[in-house]
Amino acid sequence: MPVRVVDNTQIPQVSGVNSGYTLSPCTLLSVGQAFAGTQNVSSIQKEEAWRVNVRIQGCDLDHGYLCGTMEALNVPLAETPVVTFWEGEIVDNKNYTFFTGKWDAKPDNDVRHWSKFQSFSPLQNQVEADGGKSLDLSNYPYIFMRWKELYFVNVGKDCGLTIAGFYYVCFSCSDGSINGFYYDPNSSPFQKLELKATSEGKSGFSFSSYEFQ
């Protein structure tokens, strides 16, 4: 949720081409996994960050799909934590590429946001050329995604927040960390999301749980 903390791991070189690779499974990117961290919602007038919890509710790597809930805590003027339901697109060159093609995001918006991730640097030239379709990422230690919030779970649309935009997300397969940047032409740019996988994992999720069928 737009609201209105970078990866310094050495990145391996990418080689070879494969237009339809299958992502290697990541044990931390699975149903029930919990993540916790912050979203920087600072503006010119004020420095501010919200605590954020995320839980994966569904994941289908074969179809490049996942979904989950996002809970924002300590939100000003909100009497309760604000929970949203989101769906995600996994950039796999089979179902989705690095180019979004919707949500008011043009290719230059895509490249500008993806390039905020250090792990994207070895891929950038090819992505600018063809959306990264020819890249073989089957052994790449990062998974790139887009998360789009669809609706508020526990509050109404008049809660003072907007879910008009979406997140560019980078997931580390090695440690389960997540970095993201929110894009919405009508919101402050580059609101940063930073999450770490929690040890509670699938069985002991600590914040309010919301189950979806």
Side-chain angles (χ1 to χ4, degrees):
M1 67 206 67
V3 272
R4 311 213 272 252
V5 140
V6 181
D7 183 1
N8 295 318
T9 305
Q10 183 176 0
I11 309 302
Q13 295 298 313
V14 178
S15 61
V17 294
N18 184 341
S19 61
Y21 71 89
T22 300
L23 287 168
S24 300
C26 293
T27 57
L28 291 173
L29 193 64
S30 56
V31 175
Q33 179 63 51
F35 301 84
T38 60
Q39 179 164 344
N40 189 316
V41 295
S42 300
S43 63
I44 297 176
Q45 296 82 14
K46 184 180 180 181
E47 289 287 330
E48 186 176 357
W50 298 352
R51 289 188 295 124
V52 174
N53 292 317
V54 165
R55 186 180 190 181
I56 296 176
Q57 300 283 352
C59 184
D60 182 351
L61 293 179
D62 287 341
H63 294 89
Y65 173 85
L66 75 167
C67 64
T69 52
M70 180 180 294
E71 179 185 49
L73 294 81
N74 64 292
V75 178
L77 305 179
E79 297 180 355
T80 180
V82 178
V83 180
T84 56
F85 176 79
W86 55 267
E87 290 188 329
E89 299 176 349
I90 299 172
V91 176
D92 58 6
N93 289 337
K94 179 176 66 174
N95 298 286
Y96 303 101
T97 72
F98 283 98
F99 288 162
T100 304
K102 53 188 172 184
W103 303 328
D104 293 325
K106 296 180 172 60
D108 60 331
N109 300 127
D110 293 326
V111 173
R112 190 178 304 119
H113 284 75
W114 292 127
S115 64
K116 290 287 184 180
F117 305 113
Q118 184 183 355
S119 50
F120 178 75
S121 180
L123 317 176
Q124 183 164 347
N125 287 342
Q126 197 59 48
V127 170
E128 290 177 339
D130 66 359
K133 294 177 183 177
S134 60
L135 289 170
D136 178 5
L137 302 179
S138 56
N139 294 313
Y140 206 60
Y142 297 88
I143 293 178
F144 299 95
M145 300 175 276
R146 286 176 287 265
W147 292 1
K148 178 73 176 82
E149 292 168 296
L150 299 183
Y151 56 84
F152 294 101
V153 173
N154 66 330
V155 297
K157 294 181 179 179
D158 58 352
C159 64
L161 300 179
T162 175
I163 54 175
F166 69 96
Y167 292 88
Y168 292 87
V169 175
C170 178
F171 172 84
S172 170
C173 291
S174 62
D175 62 10
S177 63
I178 291 174
N179 287 283
F181 291 95
Y182 190 77
Y183 172 71
D184 176 3
N186 298 313
S187 297
S188 299
F190 304 116
Q191 296 173 26
K192 187 173 184 181
L193 180 70
E194 188 172 50
L195 304 169
K196 300 252 183 222
T198 68
S199 58
E200 290 138 357
K202 303 173 183 178
S203 59
F205 200 59
S206 60
F207 69 80
S208 302
S209 295
Y210 299 86
E211 298 298 336
F212 298 85
Q213 299 299 323

